[in-house]
Amino acid sequence: MTNKALLFLLALSLSACSIFKKGPETPPPTIYSFSEEITKDRLYSDLAVLAHDSLQGRETGTIYEEKAARYLSKRYAEIGLKAVGDDNSYFQHYELTQPAVEQVTYRLADGDEVVDNSTHNAQQIGNFVTLFGGSDTVSGPVVFAGAGMYNEAEGINHFPEDVSGKWLLVMYERSNTNMQYLQRALTSGGAVGTILIVGTDTTDFLQEAKTRQDYFGRGQGLNLKYLQEDDGSTAPAFNRVHPELGARMLGLENLEALAETQSKILEEPASFQAKPLEGQTLYHNPVVNENTVHTKNVVALLEGSDPELKNEVVVLSAHYDHVGVGQPDSTGDNIYNGADDDGSGTVATLHTAQAMAEAKAAGVGPKRSVLFLSVSGEEKGLLGSRYYSDHPIFSIENTVANINIDMIGRVDPEHQNSDSSYVYIIGGKIISSQMDSLTQMANVMGPNLVLSDRYNDLEDPNQFYRRSDHWNFGRLGVPFVFFFNGTHEDYHRPQDHIEKITFEPYLKRTKLVYNLTALLANSPDRPLVDNQEFIEKTQVDPR
C-alpha cells in the first residue's frame, strides 16, 4: 500500500476514534459514524420478513423467490437508491434451463455383442441408475479405475492418465473413493461419466432404482441458458450399475468374486493401476424436455460523490435465494427458512445501504459508487453472480472490489462455548495485501472482532474461497473479501430460523461490512490482486 494511502487510513482511524470520544462538543459526522445507525432492531425487522414461512424458503425460480425480490426492491426504493436494472427497474432478469428427464436408455456393448440394453423410467427399472447429471447423450469406452483412490503422497492413483472421452468404472466406498479427484476427472479431465459399483447388495440397488423413478418427468437442476447455448459441451453422468452386471463387466463369475476383488484392491491400493476394459462401450441416451425458468438479481446503486471516482464501483453482494421446501425434520417442519443462509447476508447488505444512504443525505456519502447486489441462484451453483459477472451493469474494469456476505448470523460449533465475536475472513490476503490491510482497519474502527483465517487457504479442502458468489468476481481478477460465520447444525435444514440468530455478533459483523465498504469507497487507491499463487490458480483451474 502506498504511503499516501497509509496516511489516509491513519487520519481516518483517528477520525473514527474521535466519534466515540466524549467531549463538550459533538464532532461533525463522517461516513464512518453512520455505522451506528445499524441496529439489532432494524436487522430483525427485515430478516423476519425474508425468513418467514410465507416465503417458503425462497427457492430459485419460484413465486416465493419472486416475492423476496419484490420486497428487496421496495426497500431499496424506500432508501432512495437508484434503480440500475432492466428498464430502469431494480431487477436484472436472466433465464435458466431446467432439464426434465423422462427416461434413460443404457446400452452396454462388448465389441459386437450387446451385453445389456435396458431403460429406466417411471414405469421400468433397468440395470443402471443415473444418480445425477446425465442429461446429455454420451458414449465412450470403459476403463476400470479400481476404488477411485488418489493420494499423491502415498503413491496411490487408480485413475488413468488420460480420462478424456472415457467412462470410469469405480468400486465406490465412501471412506476410500476420492470424490474430489473423480469430480475433477469429469469436469476438467473430459471423462464422459462414471459407473459406480456400490457394494454387492442387489436389494439396495433395486431400492435406489425404485426411489429414482419418482424423479422422472420432474425438473432437475438449473443451468444458465446463455452458457448452454454458447457452450456445446456435454454434462457428465454419474451412473450406478447393478452389482451383477458390474461383476460381468469385470469378467467375474459372481458377487463373491466382486467383493473379493474389491478387498484385494483396498488391501494394496498402491499396486493397482487403471485397466481399460477392452471392447466395452456404454451408450447413455436420455429423453429430456427442457424447461425455461425465469429469475432475477436485485440491483441498487448509491452513486458516489466524487466526479471521477463515482465511475468506479464497490460491489456488496449476498444471495437472497435458499433451498425452498424439502424433507420434514423430526418436528414435521419442511420449510427451509434460511434465516442465516443467506437471510443474514441479504439483510446486512440492505442495512449497509440504508446507513450509507443516510450518510450521503448528511453530506458525507461515499466517493465511489456502491452497487448493492442481491443475487439469486447461489444455492443452484452461483448462477446469479455468474450471470452478473458475465453481464456486468458496471464494467469489471471499473469494479474496485467485491465484498460478499454469506451466513453471518449464527455461531458455529467451534465457538458455541467461547467468544462469539468472530468472523471467518476468506479472500483478502490470499488475493490482495491491500484488501487485507483495509479489512484489518475496518475492524479496528469499531467491531473489534476476531478475524479468523482458518479457511483462508487456496488449498483448504472445503474450498470456501470459490464456493460463494465472490468467486465469480475473483475469477475475473476482482479482489474480494468473503465474510462467513461457518456452518452449523441447521445448515440447509428446516430449523435455520430467525430465533437462532445471535444478534449481537451479527450486528458487529454487519458494522464491519459497513466500515470496509466505506473504506473501499473512499480510499484514494484501489486494491490490486497481488498474490501470484491466486493469479496462477484462477488461470489453471477457473470455474
Side-chain angles (χ1 to χ4, degrees):
M1 183 171 287
T2 64
N3 290 335
K4 178 183 177 183
L6 285 171
L7 288 172
F8 165 78
L9 291 176
L10 179 59
L12 185 62
S13 173
L14 294 173
S15 172
C17 292
S18 70
I19 296 168
F20 306 103
K21 188 185 296 183
K22 293 182 178 179
E25 296 183 4
T26 303
T30 70
I31 188 173
Y32 307 99
S33 59
F34 279 84
S35 68
E36 294 306 303
E37 298 304 313
I38 305 172
T39 66
K40 288 185 283 186
D41 287 343
R42 281 186 169 190
L43 294 171
Y44 185 95
S45 177
D46 285 304
L47 187 55
V49 175
L50 290 179
H52 195 268
D53 279 358
S54 62
L55 291 189
Q56 296 284 294
R58 311 185 304 277
E59 185 169 13
T60 298
T62 65
I63 185 61
Y64 304 105
E65 187 200 47
E66 168 77 13
K67 288 181 178 180
R70 291 194 177 279
Y71 177 78
L72 290 171
S73 69
K74 174 176 173 289
R75 289 286 289 113
Y76 281 123
E78 290 171 350
I79 292 169
L81 267 59
K82 183 178 180 181
V84 291
D86 304 331
D87 300 321
N88 297 315
S89 72
Y90 288 99
F91 303 131
Q92 182 188 44
H93 298 87
Y94 63 98
E95 293 183 336
L96 304 170
T97 60
Q98 185 174 50
V101 179
E102 300 297 332
Q103 68 175 32
V104 184
T105 298
Y106 312 90
R107 183 164 67 90
L108 178 65
D110 190 347
D112 294 331
E113 177 189 1
V114 176
V115 177
D116 179 75
N117 193 358
S118 58
T119 296
H120 193 196
N121 57 31
Q123 293 78 38
Q124 296 174 264
I125 290 176
N127 286 317
F128 292 88
V129 175
T130 299
L131 303 179
F132 54 92
S135 58
D136 296 309
T137 297
V138 291
S139 64
V142 182
V143 177
F144 181 39
M149 298 175 68
Y150 180 85
N151 188 319
E152 186 176 8
E154 297 181 11
I156 299 171
N157 183 3
H158 291 185
F159 294 88
E161 184 175 345
D162 180 12
V163 300
S164 180
K166 300 178 176 66
W167 289 95
L168 302 176
L169 179 64
V170 172
M171 289 179 159
Y172 173 79
E173 188 177 80
R174 183 174 181 177
S175 59
N176 289 295
T177 303
N178 189 325
M179 290 302 292
Q180 185 175 358
Y181 196 88
L182 177 57
Q183 184 69 39
R184 186 176 299 177
L186 297 173
T187 55
S188 58
V192 296
T194 185
I195 305 167
L196 303 178
I197 303 174
V198 186
T200 59
D201 188 343
T202 58
T203 301
D204 182 70
F205 172 85
L206 292 173
Q207 182 59 51
E208 178 144 44
K210 290 178 181 177
T211 300
R212 294 279 168 178
Q213 285 183 300
D214 293 338
Y215 290 89
F216 288 106
R218 292 165 48 186
Q220 299 294 317
L222 292 168
N223 304 290
L224 287 160
K225 188 173 183 178
Y226 75 96
L227 288 181
Q228 299 300 302
E229 293 170 347
D230 297 343
D231 190 359
S233 63
T234 57
F238 268 76
N239 291 339
R240 179 180 177 181
V241 63
H242 192 293
E244 291 178 351
L245 181 56
R248 185 176 176 184
M249 293 175 71
L250 293 171
L252 303 172
E253 294 184 358
N254 50 43
L255 294 177
E256 289 75 14
L258 181 66
E260 184 179 346
T261 298
Q262 183 172 17
S263 295
K264 287 181 179 179
I265 291 172
L266 295 177
E267 286 172 5
E268 298 182 11
S271 64
F272 179 86
Q273 291 186 336
K275 302 172 184 178
L277 301 183
E278 297 295 343
Q280 293 193 33
T281 303
L282 178 64
Y283 300 85
H284 170 109
N285 300 300
V287 175
V288 181
N289 292 323
E290 290 282 355
N291 302 314
T292 298
V293 175
H294 299 272
T295 186
K296 55 178 70 71
N297 296 325
V298 182
V299 286
L301 185 76
L302 184 67
E303 193 170 50
S305 60
D306 186 276
E308 294 185 7
L309 292 180
K310 71 178 183 180
N311 296 317
E312 298 180 347
V313 294
V314 177
V315 177
L316 180 56
S317 62
H319 72 91
Y320 71 95
D321 65 307
H322 193 50
V323 297
V325 176
Q327 290 293 322
D329 62 13
S330 59
T331 69
D333 186 0
N334 69 341
I335 299 175
Y336 292 60
N337 300 86
D340 190 28
D341 185 13
D342 184 30
S344 62
T346 301
V347 171
T349 301
L350 185 65
H351 284 278
T352 296
Q354 184 165 331
M356 204 159 283
E358 290 171 1
K360 182 176 180 179
V364 289
K367 294 181 179 180
R368 289 186 176 88
S369 297
V370 181
L371 178 68
F372 297 91
L373 174 64
S374 300
V375 297
S376 62
E378 192 272 354
E379 301 288 8
K380 306 300 183 182
L382 315 186
L383 302 179
S385 58
R386 177 60 188 265
Y387 186 86
Y388 178 86
S389 64
D390 285 346
H391 304 83
I393 295 172
F394 302 95
S395 71
I396 294 298
E397 291 74 17
N398 283 342
T399 301
V400 171
N402 171 232
I403 304 169
N404 186 48
I405 324 167
D406 195 348
M407 299 174 60
I408 60 166
R410 296 276 295 267
V411 176
D412 67 2
E414 185 173 319
H415 294 86
Q416 286 287 354
N417 299 315
S418 60
D419 186 5
S420 61
S421 294
Y422 75 98
V423 69
Y424 294 116
I425 302 296
I426 300 167
K429 67 181 179 182
I430 65 168
I431 298 165
S432 166
S433 57
Q434 294 160 313
M435 280 289 283
D436 180 57
S437 297
L438 290 169
T439 303
Q440 299 291 335
M441 177 62 69
N443 191 42
V444 169
M445 289 167 61
N448 291 311
L449 294 161
V450 174
L451 304 184
S452 173
D453 63 356
R454 175 181 174 182
Y455 300 115
N456 199 24
D457 184 346
L458 294 174
E459 302 303 323
D460 175 60
N462 295 285
Q463 294 285 285
F464 285 130
Y465 84 92
R466 56 187 288 135
R467 278 178 54 187
S468 191
D469 294 301
H470 51 274
W471 173 246
N472 280 316
F473 291 92
R475 71 185 177 91
L476 299 179
V478 177
F480 65 77
V481 169
F482 171 37
F483 293 111
F484 176 54
N485 57 246
T487 58
H488 44 72
E489 68 274 13
D490 297 320
Y491 174 67
H492 284 191
R493 300 289 299 157
Q495 293 300 313
D496 187 4
H497 290 165
I498 191 170
E499 291 79 12
K500 295 189 177 181
I501 298 294
T502 51
F503 274 91
E504 189 59 41
Y506 175 32
L507 176 62
K508 290 181 180 180
R509 294 170 190 142
T510 303
K511 289 184 176 182
L512 173 59
V513 168
Y514 178 93
N515 288 346
L516 180 57
T517 305
L519 281 170
L520 283 164
N522 281 7
S523 174
D525 299 318
R526 55 189 294 175
L528 302 175
V529 174
D530 56 10
N531 185 326
Q532 188 61 33
E533 184 183 1
F534 176 80
I535 295 170
E536 293 172 358
K537 186 86 170 176
T538 55
Q539 289 174 343
V540 171
D541 195 19
R543 183 175 177 80

